[in-house]
């Protein structure tokens, strides 16, 4: 079974703090993704990474950065947290070339971030 | 540009009634379509994908390229089907474009 683990289920931070959200997957997947999930807006892609040290902006990258130093780990960084970044953050991974499982994304349990 | 539209934010049915969650897409290439489901306090997970042409938990979805639709159907809804459902479109770059989701409530 694919396991995508997000380090925190809940986080409370103050405006202006630097925030790190961590995600680890154990299936040797090449691709990893960060989304935010908001009611009425669905899932919106923030960043994704298709290899170590490789990243690409998604639909809403402003205010975020990412780091992928190892294949299994993908970090989302909020350089200076703001209240409008209060949201549920989901990490996902997949592999583009794994036969029947190709392109299926596997999700972590999510991190609910509140910025006060 | 890829786009997925789920026209209903909320859908409420009674147990045993048929249910249809609508999904329309816009894509110029050959689409790959998925339905994901998120039950209360659980992670988002794949329900089914069009290339598998299978029934999962009694749900089916048929890709209609003429109408650019991928509606999710179940003939007899159960209370445990209550969840948030997302339609997703995969393109050529391994990314998925998600719709805004439909919250299904099955009443006893």
């Amino acid at each position: 079974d694919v396991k995508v683990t997000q380090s925190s289920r809940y986080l409370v931070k103050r405006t202006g703090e630097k925030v790190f959200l961590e995600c680890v997957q154990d299936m040797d997947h090449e691709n990893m993704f960060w989304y935010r999930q908001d009611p009425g807006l669905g899932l919106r892609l923030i960043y994704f990474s298709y290899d170590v040290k490789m990243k690409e902006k998604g639909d809403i990258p402003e205010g975020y950065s990412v780091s992928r130093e190892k294949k299994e780990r993908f970090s989302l960084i909020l350089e200076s947290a703001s209240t409008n970044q209060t949201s549920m953050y989901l990490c996902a991974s997949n592999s583009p070339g794994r036969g029947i499982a190709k392109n299926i994304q596997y999700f972590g349990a999510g991190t609910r971030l509140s910025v006060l | 540009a890829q786009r997925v539209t789920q026209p209903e934010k909320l859908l409420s049915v009674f147990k045993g009634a048929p249910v249809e969650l609508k999904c329309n897409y816009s894509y110029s290439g050959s689409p790959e379509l998925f339905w994901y489901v998120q039950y209360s306090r659980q992670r988002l997970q794949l329900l089914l994908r069009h290339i598998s042409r299978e029934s999962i938990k009694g749900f089916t979805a048929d890709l209609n390229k003429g109408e650019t639709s991928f509606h999710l159907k179940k003939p007899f809804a159960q209370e445990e089907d209550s969840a948030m459902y997302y339609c997703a479109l995969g393109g050529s770059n391994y990314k998925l474009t998600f719709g805004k989701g439909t919250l299904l409530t099955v009443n006893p």
Side-chain angles (χ1 to χ4, degrees), chain A residues 27-78:
Chain A
M27 281 300 291
D28 201 36
H29 282 168
E30 290 84 353
N31 301 329
M32 296 187 75
F33 307 83
W34 274 107
Y35 297 89
R36 62 178 283 175
Q37 182 183 32
D38 299 288
L41 297 178
L43 273 73
R44 293 179 292 167
L45 181 65
I46 304 171
Y47 267 98
F48 82 103
S49 169
Y50 48 91
D51 202 349
V52 174
K53 297 190 187 292
M54 306 302 286
K55 61 187 179 186
E56 196 169 306
K57 292 180 180 178
D59 300 316
I60 51 164
E62 296 78 19
Y64 304 95
S65 62
V66 290
S67 172
R68 193 162 179 207
E69 298 296 319
K70 294 186 178 181
K71 190 174 186 180
E72 67 270 19
R73 185 180 297 271
F74 191 35
S75 303
L76 179 69
I77 304 156
L78 286 67

Side-chain angles (χ1 to χ4, degrees), chain A residues 86-111:
Chain A
T86 291
S87 186
M88 172 69 87
Y89 290 87
L90 301 183
C91 175
S93 72
N94 78 352
S95 182
R98 300 274 179 94
I100 193 169
K102 177 183 173 183
N103 282 342
I104 296 174
Q105 289 191 15
Y106 299 89
F107 284 83
T111 297

Side-chain angles (χ1 to χ4, degrees), chain B residues 9-104:
Chain B
K9 281 188 181 179
L10 304 170
L11 185 61
S12 182
V13 301
F14 286 102
K15 178 182 172 182
V19 63
E20 181 180 50
L21 291 84
K22 291 184 167 53
C23 172
N24 289 90
Y25 67 91
S26 174
Y27 185 62
S28 57
S30 182
E32 188 175 8
L33 284 146
F34 305 81
W35 276 100
Y36 279 80
V37 61
Q38 189 170 31
Y39 302 102
S40 180
R41 287 185 290 279
Q42 292 188 29
R43 67 184 64 199
L44 193 62
Q45 58 188 287
L46 178 70
L47 180 61
L48 54 79
R49 55 197 302 215
H50 88 273
I51 63 171
S52 300
R53 301 185 65 81
E54 57 193 342
S55 173
I56 303 291
K57 301 185 178 184
F59 284 98
T60 59
D62 290 318
L63 177 61
N64 185 322
K65 290 187 178 181
E67 295 183 0
T68 60
S69 68
F70 188 56
H71 303 327
L72 184 67
K73 301 177 185 179
K74 185 169 182 176
F76 307 104
Q78 303 299 313
E79 290 180 68
E80 55 265 31
D81 296 328
S82 295
M84 178 67 83
Y85 291 81
Y86 292 97
C87 183
L89 169 65
S92 59
N93 57 5
Y94 322 126
K95 293 190 288 185
L96 292 179
T97 299
F98 286 85
K100 294 184 178 181
T102 298
L103 181 62
L104 174 66

